[in-house]
């Protein structure tokens, strides 16, 4: 075996000259794994459409339909550690197949749920589907990081996350077209839900079958050493929670997803209440809002080639602190454009925090990936806090709260990313 370990200087990895994005032997596997980012981007954002659709077809209140998000985010919290343990024992490929299987099973469970018109049954289906998404997210990030030189892992993760942003645009568009365009007040027909998720389950099952025939070449360990299998032991010198950069990454990811979910949850409210736009127009701007994140991820993938990942993360976090301050002032289109800019600067945060948190963890990587993925639970908590502030002092003032989150991310990018 040959080592490609970069020298460590003052706690930072120095990037070797000419480090490639990936190698030709990894191309097919990288394409498959990148497609997973698109798939769960579609699935998560389609939950927002289901929320609105179920209010009509199942006669639910807003608080009742919000259980959709709790079912999905709750699954992330419950499945994070088991997914990591499964990945550590059986490797990345089988971890992906487990995630796809649960994803497909959850989608197929929408059929009996629709037949019985039971929201509780839909909750079970969403939870199973969420377990699949959690497994895929836990496995896919370290998998992508291992598909090439470790000094370009940040670039690969940001590239793959670009397709997650694309999924975040496609998901609401698909859901709105098939579920919302024929909504009739008082209507109870769930056929469109059943048919849509039957197709989704079939597509995911086909991806799983195709991926089962793909041969995964020897991967690059997080230490920069080639290894024969995804879970071959390369033992680190300390216990997982003795690595401060990992602990800070887990904390930063919690606040990162918290800020993201709160910003997304009240985007339409801001357009309607502060900008005085009709709800339909405010909602239509959501696709442009998501396109800003997609643009940011592609630009960020390029910038990381010339700017250190932790430095770019700190710059983007500071920029979002400024954007939140502008948004909170309610200055008309100036503030509204700043709200769009938040999603641009948010773009690189999730994959970059993930990549920095996994550096030099060796056999701890699967478990570390589990804990960092569990940070998604921040998305179930923060919108409630922003909602309380919005109800009491207005939706514009609620955007002061994400400043706390970006402050934590800024500290991580400036100081606490270092591998010690």
């Amino acid at each position: 075996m040959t080592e490609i370990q970069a020298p460590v200087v003052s706690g930072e990895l120095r990037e070797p000259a000419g480090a490639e994005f990936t190698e030709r032997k990894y191309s097919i596997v990288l394409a498959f794994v990148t497609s997973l980012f698109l798939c769960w981007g579609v699935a998560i954002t389609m939950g927002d459409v289901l929320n609105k659709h179920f209010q009509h077809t199942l006669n639910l209140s807003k608080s009742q339909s919000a259980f959709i998000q709790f079912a999905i985010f709750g699954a992330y919290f419950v499945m994070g550690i088991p997914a990591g343990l499964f990945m550590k024992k059986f490797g990345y490929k089988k971890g992906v197949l487990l995630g796809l299987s649960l994803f497909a099973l959850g989608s197929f469970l929408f059929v009996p749920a629709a037949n019985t018109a039971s929201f509780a049954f839909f909750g079970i289906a969403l939870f199973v589907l969420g377990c699949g998404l959690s497994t895929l997210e836990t496995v896919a990030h370290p998998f992508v990081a291992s598909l090439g030189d470790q000094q370009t892992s940040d670039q690969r993760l940001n590239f793959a996350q670009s397709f997650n942003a694309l999924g975040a645009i496609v998901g609401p568009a698909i859901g709105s077209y098939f579920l919302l365009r024929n909504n009739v007040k008082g209507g109870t027909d769930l056929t469109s839900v059943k048919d849509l998720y039957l197709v989704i389950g079939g597509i995911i099952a086909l991806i799983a079958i195709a991926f089962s025939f793909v041969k995964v070449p020897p991967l690059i360990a997080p230490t920069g050493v080639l290894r024969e299998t995804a879970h071959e032991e390369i033992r680190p010198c300390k216990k997982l929670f003795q690595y401060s950069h990992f602990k800070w990454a887990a904390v930063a990811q919690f606040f990162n997803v918290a800020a993201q979910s709160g910003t997304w949850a009240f985007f339409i409210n801001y357009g309607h209440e502060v900008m005085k736009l009709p709800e339909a127009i405010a909602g239509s701007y959501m696709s442009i809002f998501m396109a800003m994140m997609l643009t940011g991820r592609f630009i960020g993938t390029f910038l990381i080639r010339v700017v250190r990942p932790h430095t770019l993360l700190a710059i983007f976090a500071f920029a979002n602190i400024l954007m939140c301050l502008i948004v909170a002032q309610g200055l008309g289109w100036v503030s509204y454009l700043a709200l769009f800019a938040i999603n641009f600067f948010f773009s690189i945060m999730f994959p970059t925090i993930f990549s920095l948190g996994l550096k030099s963890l060796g056999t701890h990587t699967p478990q570390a990936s589990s804990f960092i993925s569990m940070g998604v639970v921040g998305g179930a908590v923060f919108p409630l806090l922003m909602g309380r502030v919005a109800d009491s002092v207005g939706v514009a003032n609620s955007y002061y709260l994400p400043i706390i989150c970006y402050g934590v991310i800024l500290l991580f990018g400036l100081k606490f990313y270092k591998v010690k």
Side-chain angles (χ1 to χ4, degrees), residues 284-298:
S284 69
Y285 283 140
M286 192 78 178
S287 60
I288 302 174
F289 184 60
M290 291 301 181
M292 293 294 289
M293 183 171 69
L294 176 64
T295 303
R297 281 190 173 149
F298 279 119

Side-chain angles (χ1 to χ4, degrees), residues 12-235:
E12 299 184 25
L13 291 173
R14 295 296 185 187
E15 184 168 340
E20 295 181 355
F21 180 77
T22 189
E23 300 174 37
R24 181 174 297 179
K25 64 182 179 180
Y26 297 131
S27 298
I28 294 177
V29 180
L30 181 61
F32 264 99
V33 180
T34 298
S35 73
L36 304 180
F37 287 76
L38 174 68
C39 291
W40 81 64
V42 170
I44 288 179
T45 54
M46 201 176 289
D48 296 325
V49 181
L50 278 176
N51 190 316
K52 184 64 176 176
H53 185 63
F54 283 159
Q55 289 175 23
H56 287 286
T57 55
L58 296 177
N59 194 29
L60 302 176
S61 67
K62 291 182 176 63
S63 60
Q64 289 173 322
S65 63
F67 180 73
I68 291 172
Q69 279 71 28
F70 277 97
I72 295 174
F73 288 129
Y76 266 79
F77 184 76
V78 170
M79 195 63 188
I81 292 177
L85 293 174
F86 183 91
M87 174 174 56
K88 185 173 183 178
K89 183 174 178 61
F90 297 105
Y92 293 136
K93 182 176 180 178
K94 290 182 179 178
V96 167
L97 293 176
L98 173 64
L100 289 171
S101 299
L102 290 171
F103 190 167
L105 175 60
S107 299
F108 289 138
L109 285 175
F110 271 68
V111 175
N115 289 337
T116 59
S118 169
F119 186 57
F121 206 148
F122 276 118
I124 295 172
L126 285 163
F127 182 81
V128 174
L129 187 150
C131 286
L133 302 183
S134 175
T135 302
L136 289 177
E137 202 157 342
T138 300
V139 176
H141 286 90
F143 201 174
V144 168
S146 298
L147 295 173
D149 193 310
Q150 291 308 284
Q151 302 311 307
T152 54
S153 63
D154 306 280
Q155 295 174 35
R156 287 191 299 278
L157 280 170
N158 273 283
F159 175 76
Q161 278 283 355
S162 298
F163 289 87
N164 179 256
L166 179 60
I169 298 172
V170 173
I174 293 175
S176 297
Y177 182 81
F178 287 102
L179 301 181
L180 296 184
R181 81 186 162 108
N182 294 322
N183 260 354
V184 178
K185 188 173 182 179
T188 58
D189 187 10
L190 292 165
T191 303
S192 58
V193 176
K194 179 171 63 176
D195 292 345
L196 178 57
Y197 275 86
L198 189 60
V199 171
I200 291 173
I203 292 173
I204 297 302
L206 288 175
I207 293 174
I209 293 170
F211 188 65
S212 68
F213 290 101
V214 173
K215 181 177 175 60
V216 178
L219 303 175
I220 307 294
T223 52
V225 183
L226 280 169
R227 53 185 177 172
E228 292 297 334
T229 65
H231 53 284
E232 180 181 325
E233 292 196 353
I234 300 174
R235 297 188 179 279

Side-chain angles (χ1 to χ4, degrees), residues 221-296:
T223 52
V225 183
L226 280 169
R227 53 185 177 172
E228 292 297 334
T229 65
H231 53 284
E232 180 181 325
E233 292 196 353
I234 300 174
R235 297 188 179 279
C237 59
K238 296 189 291 186
K239 294 181 179 179
L240 176 59
F241 281 91
Q242 291 178 316
Y243 287 93
S244 61
H245 75 286
F246 152 71
K247 290 187 290 185
W248 270 96
V251 172
Q253 201 68 283
F254 175 90
F255 283 101
N256 173 53
V257 178
Q260 173 202 356
S261 61
T263 300
W264 289 8
F266 297 102
F267 174 81
I268 296 177
N269 294 82
Y270 193 96
H272 179 60
E273 298 175 21
V274 179
M275 298 301 297
K276 308 302 181 184
L277 298 172
E279 286 187 348
I281 299 298
S284 69
Y285 283 140
M286 192 78 178
S287 60
I288 302 174
F289 184 60
M290 291 301 181
M292 293 294 289
M293 183 171 69
L294 176 64
T295 303

Side-chain angles (χ1 to χ4, degrees), residues 10 116 186 276 307 331:
S10 301
T116 59
K276 308 302 181 184
V307 181
L331 300 175

